[in-house]
Amino acid sequence: MTEVRELLDRAVEEIADPVGGPPVGAIVAAGRRRVRHRLAAYSGAAAATVAVLVGVLAPLSPEAVRAPAGTPALRGGDGGWCAVRLDRFPLPGRAVRAGDGLPTNAAADLLRLHGWPRAVPYDVARWTLAADGDDGALIAWTDGSPYRYLPVARRDGTWEIVGGPCTP
Amino acid sequence: MRAADEDAFGDFVRARYAGLLRYAYLLSADRGLAEDLVQDALARTYGAWGRVGAPEAYARTTLVRLALRGRRRRWRAETPTDRPPELPAATDDLDLAASVRVALAGLPVEQRAVLVLRYWEDRSEREIAEALDCSPGTVKSRAARGLAALRAAGLLDGVLEGEPHDRGA
């Protein structure tokens, strides 16, 4: 075991400290950009919340809960689009359970229910799907947490993840 | 972020950057990619500053996840090579270091991550399984394959006979 450690130490011997020190300014600027993008995503989350409420309170007809044309799309943390438009929410607020297929596993990943940090139990987590035809976004949240989004698409009747999380 | 927090974050970056860069290099086996990974991980740490009690642990965990995600995205912008543009002087020590780097670069990132977490970070199999979101059995098999590759490269001849034992499982 020590030998492996020594080999790894040997491998990084050539990795010297960067000339002039670490790029603190660039890293801080990148961090600020990420925070700004996240705030933009929160704005999208507010729109999603309103749409969820509409979906829950409106009559049962799916057409009745369609968002008006031009509803702001959800912009991802990396500048990509999470969903083109929020149309309807057929699955509002379902509980996240371990080992329950793609939606809940993906929601658990989004909320980091397993892995570090593991402070959030499964039973307080919720997920829903905002769909526009075959495109959409998986939305996951817990009480008091920001909404997290994952772009998904329906292929051959099955929902698939098609991109990274918008609020990693 | 408040100015005082930003100053503290800057101090944190200055103090930890080199160590994180070495860690990222072991995970990625590529100097340029390692720098990208560290800067991305630290930018994410900036966003979590004040919410996490152990920012270095947060940054390291983020590094591992980014390294694994990078593999899934199949970065194609550059072609990896085991031939550096300027070959170092041929001494035994440098040959060994180069051999280790080539052997690490030849491993799948999942195996490399297990070796780094197990032997460089000295984490238990259970901790590694949680960090990599896989089972302890998968950690064991990846470690065994990674060690076998190092042995096949002549780097561990007769040094290790068995699997790494688990401290935490």
Side-chain angles (χ1 to χ4, degrees), chain B residues 115-162:
Chain B
L115 291 183
V116 172
L117 292 171
R118 184 72 184 91
Y119 295 105
W120 213 61
E121 291 249 288
D122 202 24
R123 293 205 213 175
S124 71
E125 285 175 356
R126 180 180 297 167
E127 291 168 338
I128 297 170
E130 289 177 358
L132 302 184
D133 195 18
C134 63
S135 70
T138 301
V139 171
K140 278 187 182 179
S141 63
R142 288 176 181 171
R145 289 195 196 107
L147 292 175
L150 295 183
R151 285 194 199 96
L155 298 169
L156 287 176
D157 284 347
V159 174
L160 281 175
E161 294 299 328

Side-chain angles (χ1 to χ4, degrees), chain A residues 1-19 21-36 38 42 78 105 108-109 112 114-118 122 146 148 163-165 167-168, chain B residues 6 9-10 13-14 17-18 21-23 25-26 31 38-40 42-44 46-48 51-52 54 57-58 61 65 69 73 92-93 96-97 100-101 104 115-116 118-122 130-131 133 147 150 155-156 159-160 165:
Chain A
M1 186 164 161
T2 303
E3 297 291 336
V4 179
R5 167 76 196 221
E6 289 171 358
L7 286 177
L8 296 175
D9 282 340
R10 189 64 64 88
V12 296
E13 275 177 355
E14 70 160 16
I15 308 300
D17 293 353
V19 177
V24 178
I27 290 170
V28 168
R32 287 175 182 155
R33 278 196 302 275
R34 288 191 61 81
V35 170
R36 278 200 300 272
R38 198 166 56 194
Y42 289 166
D78 297 326
N105 284 341
D109 284 341
R112 296 174 180 167
H114 41 70
W116 191 96
R118 288 168 288 103
Y122 272 82
R148 296 179 184 277
T167 52
Chain B
E6 205 159 277
F9 177 78
V13 171
R14 277 182 281 272
Y17 185 90
L21 183 61
R22 293 185 180 94
Y23 186 51
Y25 179 81
L26 287 176
R31 171 63 187 256
V38 171
Q39 293 186 29
D40 197 357
L42 286 173
R44 290 164 192 257
Y46 176 96
R51 289 190 288 113
V52 295
Y58 181 90
T61 301
R65 291 174 187 265
R69 190 184 302 174
R73 285 181 178 171
D92 287 347
D93 277 356
L96 175 60
V100 175
R101 287 193 290 273
L104 286 175
L115 291 183
V116 172
R118 184 72 184 91
Y119 295 105
W120 213 61
E121 291 249 288
D122 202 24
E130 289 177 358
D133 195 18
L147 292 175
L150 295 183
L155 298 169
L156 287 176
V159 174
L160 281 175
H165 45 269

Side-chain angles (χ1 to χ4, degrees), chain A residues 37 74-82 165-166:
Chain A
H37 287 156
L74 304 177
R75 184 181 284 279
D78 297 326
W81 298 101
C82 243
C166 291

